[in-house]
Every structure is written in C-alpha cells, then in structure tokens.
Amino acid sequence: MSAAGFLLVAAPLAAALSLTVALRPRGTDEVAPLRLAVIRAAVVTGAFAVLTVELLGALRLLTLPAFAVAWLIFLAVAAGAAGWRLRRDGTPGAPAAAARAGLARLAGRWRTTGRGERLLAGTLGGLVLVELLIALLAEPNNFDSQTYHLPKVEHWVAQRGLEFWPTAIHRQVTIPPGAEYLLLHLRLFTGGDALHNLVQWAAGVGCLLVAARIAAQLGGGRRAQLLTAFVLATTPMVALQATSTQTDLVCAAWVACVATLALDGLRRRAGAGTLLLLGAATGLTAVTKTSGLIGVGPLLLLWGIGQLRLAYLGGPVRAAGGTPGRPVLVGVGAAGGAGAVEGGAGAVEGGAGAVEGGDHPVATAGSAGPAVRGGVTGRPAGSSRVARVARTAAGSLLVLLVALAVVGPFLARVQAEFGHPLGPPRLRESIPMERHDPASVLVNALRIGHTALDTPLAPVRDGAAEAIMAGSRAIGVDPQDRAITFGREVFPVPAWYPDEDRVAFPLAGALALVGAVLALARPARVAPAAGGALRAYAVVVVAAVLLHTAMIKWQPWGNRLLLYALILAAPLAGLWLDALFRRRLAPGRRSVAAGLAATVLATSALAGVLALSYGFPRRLVGAGSVFTTSEWDTRFLRRPQWTDEFRGAADAVRASGARRIGLVQQNDNWEYPWWLLLRDADGRPPELVALESVLPDLPPAAPASTDAIVCTGSRAACVKLVPPGWTLTWRGYVGYALPPT
C-alpha cells in the first residue's frame, strides 16, 4: 500500500475520532457517555460511507480520486465540528488535555478495580489484540466471500457503478451489500484486500462496547459490564468472525446500536439528532443483512412505546425523591407495574455506569423530595399532550424515512430488476419459512436451538436430535420438510467445531437463556434499580428470537444468522452473573454458586482462546497457521485441492494474452480467485463477463466474444458454452478453454 493509500485509510478513523468529540453528550446524566459518543460517531460514519457509495455509484464515480475527495471533505467537516465543540465547551488545551484527562480517569479506575475485574479486562484486551493480529496477517478466505461478497466489490470497481451485471450467482446482486460498501472504500484506498478483515474486527469491538453500555443502561455496574463483554468476546463465533470478511458482526453491530439508542428512549424524549441516528442505524441494518430487522422491529416498538408514554406524561420520568430532569429507566412489568421504578429502586443514572464504567450509588426512594408517581408533578393540558403525541408519531415516521433513504436505492435496483424489492422467488423462498403453523414453528425452533447449543458431547447431541425428530413426527411434522429446511440440508449437523460459519455457542447461549428467564421472572433481583426496563428489554430479546425461529428456516449455518440475537442477549447474561456474585447467600451455597459461575467463565475463556488458536479457517498454530502458511494456501484453506487448479488455469489464460474472459459457474462457485489470479503484472484487473445469467433483463455475453473461458464446477455446463474449435482443458474442479492459435 502506498503512503497516499495509508493516509486515506486513516481518514475514516480520524473522522470517526473527531465525531466522537463533536457528538459527545451535553448532559451530565447520560449512561456511559464516552461509549454513547463512539456509537453516534460510528453510525454517522457508517451512514456517510454507505450514502457516498450510493451517490458516487449513481454518477459512475466509484474511483479512488472521487472517494479521496469525499473522505477529505468529510474529515474536514468532522474536525471542524470537533474544534467548535471544544471551543464551545471551553476545554483548555484541547484535545491534548482531554486525552490526558481520559488516560488519568482510566488509570484511576484501574487502581480501584479488583483482581477479578482486572482479569476480565485483561482477557478481553488480549483477545481483541490477537484478533487484530490475525485479521492483519490472514488473507480473506471465507467461502461466501469467494463466491459473492468480494466479487461484488470487484465488479463495482471494474464498472465504476452499482448497476447490476449478468451473473449466474444471484447473491452477487440480490443480497444486501452494506458490509461490502464498507469494503469498497478499503479496496479503492489500498488497491487490494489486505485490510478487508478489519471491517468485521471493528464491528466486533463495536459489539463489545455497545453490549457493555446496554448492561449499564439496565442498571449494571462495572463488573456487570465487564462480564457482558467477556461472555461475548470469548464466544468462538464472535472471535472467529472478527478476523473474517463475513457480514454477520457488521449486522449485529448496527442492531446493537439500535438497541442502545432505543433504551435511551425509555428515559427521555428523543430529539432530532437521536431520531436521525435511530433511522440511520435501522437503515444500515437493512442494507447489511435483512435478518437483522427481526431484532430491530421489536426494539423500535419498545422505543415507540416509551416515547409515547413520555409524551403522554409530559416529559422525562423522575424517580421518587430524585432530582427534576434526571430520569429513571422505565419499562413494562416492573415490580410496581409499568412506569417509573418505585419503592426501593430510585433514580438510575446509567446504573453503575453514568461515569464511564464506574460504580456509583443510586438515589433511593427514601431520599428527600416529593414523590412523583406516574411521571411528573401536575397534569399537562390536553391540547399540549395531543401535540406531544403527534410530534412523537412524526418522529417515528422520520426514523422510517431516514432508514428508507439509506436502504432505498438498493431496494429500488432490486425491484427494477426482479419486480420485487426482496429479489427473485428462489431467494424469497429458500431462506424464509414457508409454513407457519404452530407445530412447524415449534419444530424449527427446536432444531435451531439444538444447532446453536451443540456441544462436543456426541451422546448428548445425538440423543437430543433423536428426541426432536421423534417428537416432530409425533405431532405430524417431517423434521426434514423442505418448507422449514434450507435447500437440501439434513438435520442434525455437528456444529461444535470452531468453524466461523457454523460454530455453536452453548456457554454464551445457556447464560443468556438463564439471564432472560430471571429478567422476566424476577427482574428486581437481577437489577434492583432498573427492574422495569430490564423486563421490557428481556421481552424484546425473547420476541426477537421467537420471530427468528418463526421466519427463518433451519440451516447448518444458521448460528451465523443468530449472532445479532446473541449480542442483544449478552447483557442479560452479564447482569445475572453480576447479581450472582454480589448476592449475600449462606456461606456454603454462596461458595458453590460462585464456584460454578467462575468455572463457566473459565471454560468460556478457554473456548475463546482455543477458537483463535485452532479455529478454522484462520488460526494461530498448527496446519494453516497465519504465521507459516503462504498467501495462496491461506486463501484456499477451505478447498486446498483447488489451489493448483485455479492457479494453473489462470497461468495458461494469462499466457495466451486474453483480456476479455468468459465465466462459466454455478450459484455456489468461487469467482473471487479469478479477479486476483488474472490480473496483469501491473495489477490491472481483467475484464470478466458471465456466459450464464440468472437476471431476466441482463443477458450473458456471447462465448465467441471472449478471448478465453474459465469454468468451475460442472464440466458439462462448460462444454455446452465452449465455441467449436476451441481447446478445453479440465483440471478436476476448474477448466479453461482457449481459441485456436
């Protein structure tokens, strides 16, 4: 990467840091204000990146100069906003003084942290740094990335626009491209894929920060927040995807941003800035992975209910004896019913995290001051109440309009090509459930749960699977019914092995399940200061999981699709683990409970370390290590037998001098290696054209119009398209055809 490319890569990071300064909360009662500022900056930066691609793509300006100008302008605006904010706040010697103050606060917190919390924090930091090392050293080698994630990016660069192209792999144009939009920026800045893994790594770090803030919003102290992040960071699926070019962590990060912003809406009415952020985060979720909307929908409903309640009551809710204007988290179903948490809860300023990560006392209901029940003192006028409710409804509409502005251009292209915004029938019918009767949904949920909680214990796995299949037949449902099963896959499948595409999360899943049950049944024992909000949030998480099982078919790779739900559920696990450690039980019982919890956490840490050490397809040690494996062997670790076949075919085609090369491939074949192997010596990409197309209005190229043909998968399909007189050479999975000399 050139020096100019390095500087351009630094521009998004510098802009995000500047926005963190510019968008930090003004109030003193915000929960985890630094994390909130980071979340705001991430959403704004992500929305800018996506909209920049859409705008420049419409102008056919997906080029390095255009992107460089866009980011430099954005950086100048962000830096200017940060400088204005610092001057407005009168921060002396900023930003150096602010940085020194932040480091001093961190040092102070570290000195007051116990041994257990230091161990949690140290493990977290170590895992994140190791993931960063692997992400930088390993070449992209995810299977789906070879098929459609990364070929999308190369097609955009080649044609300088976002218009669809003829292809036999419909997922290159029908699957939402939000994560690939982010990769496109790095591709143009660096000229290659050396930094592509950093998008998911950054999303993984974001998930940890947001989940910890959600725990703070639900009344969790520093230990609860650390436990939440620890449970997530040590989950093998999270650790492995953080070094990948998959898209699930990116989707989960945007869903988590919606969650934390929605929880803020239970405490205070949303201003224009919050509405724009909520809409942008919703749109970013939709343009990244449609399944993420299953989690976003209930979260927005919770936010809307909270906003309507605050509008009806006339403003933020004060706790009994609290300070006017300092709201308490509210929710549905608290010990005292829906509404303000009263009677022993008190005002909650982010639980134990109003100051970043700290433990602070909570004002109790017995504090001095008039008790306020049901909201604020006095009754607002009826007309004013109607106006506030109307403004809330308008704000909700604004959220949807902003989300549509982010995802709308992509949906419009899909609608124009296939006559439906969700793509062709094969896509709409392959993943969503086609049966919704209670028996079918129950069977689907049990199979998804079995795969998500799979363990290396074969007797447990096999016994549970047999019980599910027997029960399914007993209620009249075929456990392999195609209407509730993806493609031709067969339940069950082993999912315990640390493979980024399917690894189960039994420990994190079990902890989250227990946390959800306790949050629903006894929220005041888990989070005494925010029981209502905790129960409401748990209802939303459970609803999202139930909707997922009712809408998405079982598939061997379904654990990836559940990652957003795991991120949302992690704070429930962290909160109840913290409650377990702090409860004062009888000595013997306390020792057993704490010992069991510590054992689970130690096992979780071991699982995370083993996933990074021996996980697939990127690992630290053993065969395939990022330290000892060559570039091309790393790229083909999923299918090592294809390495020589692809490279041999590419060498022959390049030697022929061909520039316009036809592609013959099926829906799940690898295309990305051709973009790398067929480049010129100066790095200029080839002109690749599809000889088969599943897009109704985009016919394929004529075979005779090409200089050479490369094929993958089916030799019979290749033979049909090779012009007479051409020479076809086949090498197992890969073939190539050249015209007469």
Side-chain angles (χ1 to χ4, degrees):
M1 180 171 57
S2 65
F6 178 82
L7 291 176
L8 288 174
V9 168
L13 178 60
L17 291 175
S18 298
L19 287 174
T20 300
V21 175
L23 298 176
R24 70 182 189 272
R26 292 191 178 93
T28 59
D29 62 344
E30 285 288 358
V31 179
L34 177 57
R35 273 171 277 172
L36 178 57
V38 171
I39 291 163
R40 290 173 173 176
V43 172
V44 172
T45 305
F48 171 80
V50 168
L51 293 176
T52 296
V53 172
E54 289 288 0
L55 176 61
L56 296 181
L59 299 174
R60 297 186 63 83
L61 286 175
L62 299 183
T63 61
L64 175 58
F67 274 62
V69 170
W71 275 107
L72 291 176
I73 293 175
F74 184 68
L75 175 57
V77 172
W84 176 83
R85 178 64 186 274
L86 291 171
R87 289 191 300 272
R88 182 177 182 272
D89 294 345
T91 306
R100 288 194 297 269
L103 292 175
R105 285 195 299 270
L106 288 175
R109 293 190 192 114
W110 184 260
R111 286 193 297 270
T112 61
T113 299
R115 183 181 303 173
E117 293 175 4
R118 289 187 180 186
L119 182 60
L120 292 174
T123 304
L124 276 170
L127 288 173
V128 169
L129 290 177
V130 171
E131 290 163 4
L132 175 60
L133 177 66
I134 297 175
L136 290 171
L137 291 179
E139 288 75 22
N141 60 0
N142 173 263
F143 194 103
D144 285 347
S145 296
Q146 308 280 10
T147 300
Y148 66 96
H149 290 313
L150 300 186
K152 282 184 187 180
V153 177
E154 296 302 323
H155 278 286
W156 295 333
V157 173
Q159 64 191 24
R160 300 186 177 185
L162 297 175
E163 62 272 13
F164 291 165
W165 53 90
T167 178
I169 304 174
H170 75 85
R171 293 177 292 174
Q172 290 183 357
V173 296
T174 57
I175 298 295
E180 292 88 341
Y181 282 174
L182 304 181
L183 293 176
L184 175 61
H185 294 265
L186 293 177
R187 167 64 176 83
L188 289 172
F189 291 161
T190 65
D193 59 16
L195 301 182
H196 278 10
N197 293 332
L198 293 185
V199 171
Q200 280 262 110
W201 178 82
V205 173
C207 287
L208 301 182
L209 293 176
V210 181
R213 183 173 190 262
I214 292 173
Q217 289 173 289
L218 297 175
R222 181 165 54 200
R223 183 173 57 197
Q225 297 169 49
L226 282 172
L227 286 167
T228 296
F230 183 87
V231 169
L232 267 185
T234 55
T235 301
M237 175 70 78
V238 175
L240 291 170
Q241 285 230 4
T243 65
S244 170
T245 47
Q246 263 293 5
T247 62
D248 304 285
L249 271 180
V250 178
C251 174
W254 298 134
V255 175
C257 289
V258 174
T260 194
L261 294 172
L263 284 175
D264 280 341
L266 300 184
R267 301 175 352 116
R268 61 171 55 84
R269 295 180 63 192
T274 299
L275 295 174
L276 293 174
L277 288 169
L278 261 177
T282 300
L284 289 169
T285 302
V287 81
T288 301
K289 210 174 188 72
T290 309
S291 58
L293 294 176
I294 298 174
V296 167
L299 288 166
L300 290 181
L301 180 60
L302 174 66
W303 173 83
I305 293 173
Q307 289 292 290
L308 285 173
R309 181 178 182 279
L310 292 174
Y312 183 81
L313 295 174
V317 178
R318 282 198 295 125
T323 304
R326 295 172 68 87
V328 66
L329 287 171
V330 298
V332 180
V341 179
E342 300 172 325
V348 180
E349 298 308 329
V355 177
E356 197 64 14
D359 288 306
H360 299 280
V362 177
T364 63
S367 303
V372 181
R373 299 182 180 275
V376 295
T377 54
R379 284 282 185 181
S383 59
S384 178
R385 177 180 294 166
V386 171
R388 287 194 300 271
V389 171
R391 286 197 298 270
T392 299
S396 301
L397 180 60
L398 178 61
V399 170
L400 297 179
L401 290 176
V402 173
L404 186 60
V406 175
V407 71
F410 167 71
L411 295 180
R413 290 193 296 273
V414 176
Q415 171 72 36
E417 181 63 36
F418 298 102
H420 195 288
L422 297 182
R426 65 185 300 179
L427 177 63
R428 302 197 305 270
E429 297 169 2
S430 62
I431 297 177
M433 287 274 285
E434 298 176 79
R435 290 180 57 178
H436 298 92
D437 56 284
S440 297
V441 172
L442 174 62
V443 171
N444 194 55
L446 291 174
R447 295 183 305 164
I448 289 175
H450 179 274
T451 304
L453 302 177
D454 189 25
T455 72
L457 304 175
V460 175
R461 176 174 63 246
D462 297 341
E466 288 297 330
I468 290 173
M469 290 190 289
S472 172
R473 298 186 187 97
I475 60 176
V477 178
D478 179 2
Q480 314 300 345
D481 186 354
R482 296 301 101 188
I484 61 174
T485 305
F486 177 83
R488 300 179 181 179
E489 305 302 326
V490 177
F491 174 82
V493 295
W496 63 267
Y497 184 78
D499 184 311
E500 67 171 356
D501 282 341
R502 66 172 66 190
V503 61
F505 32 84
L507 293 176
L511 292 173
L513 284 174
V514 174
V517 170
L518 292 177
L520 292 172
R522 311 190 75 172
R525 296 188 65 180
V526 177
L534 177 60
R535 177 176 282 171
Y537 182 77
V539 168
V540 165
V541 173
V542 171
V545 173
L546 293 178
L547 285 173
H548 187 101
T549 59
M551 298 175 67
I552 304 295
K553 293 178 179 177
W554 174 87
Q555 54 182 283
W557 314 278
N559 292 342
R560 291 195 299 105
L561 304 183
L562 270 175
L563 195 53
Y564 75 90
L566 180 66
I567 305 299
L568 294 180
L572 303 178
L575 286 166
W576 87 260
L577 283 171
D578 178 61
L580 179 65
F581 285 126
R582 76 167 181 264
R583 281 166 56 189
R584 296 188 177 279
L585 304 175
R589 185 180 173 191
R590 182 183 182 187
S591 176
V592 171
L596 288 175
T599 300
V600 170
L601 292 175
T603 306
S604 183
L606 179 62
V609 171
L610 290 177
L612 290 177
S613 300
Y614 297 99
F616 194 74
R618 291 165 303 280
R619 57 174 54 170
L620 287 175
V621 297
S625 166
V626 294
F627 296 115
T628 60
T629 308
S630 67
E631 173 189 351
W632 287 106
D633 287 340
T634 298
R635 293 184 183 277
F636 283 90
L637 273 175
R638 283 285 184 189
R639 297 292 186 272
Q641 67 274 21
W642 294 350
T643 308
D644 292 337
E645 297 176 11
F646 267 95
R647 298 184 71 179
D651 289 342
V653 171
R654 277 203 322 274
S656 72
R659 287 301 309 159
R660 181 176 168 86
I661 302 165
L663 293 174
V664 180
Q665 54 196 6
Q666 290 75 57
N667 186 56
D668 206 33
N669 290 174
W670 286 16
E671 179 181 313
Y672 186 60
W674 297 127
W675 288 98
L676 301 178
L677 292 168
L678 294 174
R679 288 182 179 180
D680 286 345
D682 60 0
R684 187 163 60 103
E687 181 185 359
L688 297 181
V689 295
L691 302 185
E692 299 173 293
S693 177
V694 295
L695 277 68
D697 297 328
L698 293 174
S705 69
T706 63
D707 303 324
I709 295 173
V710 292
C711 310
T712 51
S714 170
R715 178 171 183 170
C718 188
V719 169
K720 291 180 181 179
L721 292 169
V722 173
W726 286 38
T727 302
L728 173 63
T729 303
W730 198 262
R731 297 172 176 255
Y733 176 78
V734 176
Y736 65 94
L738 299 174
T741 303

